[in-house]
Amino acid sequence: MNGTDGRAPLSVVTEDLRLSVDGTALDVRSTGDRLFVEVPSVRDAYRVARRLPSGRVARGPAMLLTATDLTAEIRVRGRTVVVVGADARPGLVSRELGVAPAEIRLAGALGAGKSGLSAAANAVRRRTD
């Protein structure tokens, strides 16, 4: 990207993109320079995370996103739990978990967990009423 052009060198436009990891369907949408990957539940997020590569192999996509000035947000139940790419700001949690250059968002992860527990409680309540 040069100093006179404020646009990202790569732009992604999606209307109806769906990924699947280990049988878990992930909806993807974008705003051009930001991808939003929606994971349906905390359990699905855990299953997907276990199937993803780690170490050096995992750094490749992060480097590609950064080089092309793109950012991906991994969202669970509507809350951002991981940011990878140009706008990611990995902190202590990311380094301790060994996932840097990804940024872990604890508030998003806790909020997704709480939302999942509330949904489960509501489902049980509906069955017993």
Side-chain angles (χ1 to χ4, degrees):
M1 194 158 106
N2 65 40
T4 60
D5 188 0
R7 294 176 293 146
L10 182 63
S11 181
V12 178
V13 178
T14 63
E15 289 185 26
D16 187 21
L17 179 60
R18 185 165 249 192
L19 302 175
S20 179
V21 177
D22 196 30
T24 301
L26 310 173
D27 289 325
V28 180
R29 61 185 176 81
S30 74
T31 60
D33 63 348
R34 190 169 290 257
L35 298 165
F36 298 93
V37 180
E38 301 286 343
V39 183
S41 69
V42 173
R43 181 177 31 184
D44 289 333
Y46 179 73
R47 183 181 308 131
V48 168
R50 289 185 49 218
R51 301 296 288 171
L52 294 176
S54 61
R56 282 179 171 219
V57 176
R59 284 181 175 63
M63 290 170 34
L64 175 64
L65 287 166
T66 300
T68 56
D69 204 24
L70 293 173
T71 302
E73 289 189 23
I74 313 306
R75 298 171 55 87
V76 178
R77 302 190 67 80
R79 290 162 175 87
T80 300
V81 296
V82 177
V83 178
V84 181
D87 291 338
R89 302 292 175 256
L92 178 63
V93 173
S94 296
R95 288 189 294 278
E96 287 296 318
L97 293 175
V99 298
E103 172 188 349
I104 300 293
R105 294 209 176 155
L106 279 179
L110 292 172
K114 181 181 175 191
S115 176
L117 289 173
S118 294
N122 287 338
V124 168
R125 207 173 300 126
R126 279 192 302 271
R127 287 185 182 171
T128 59
D129 286 345

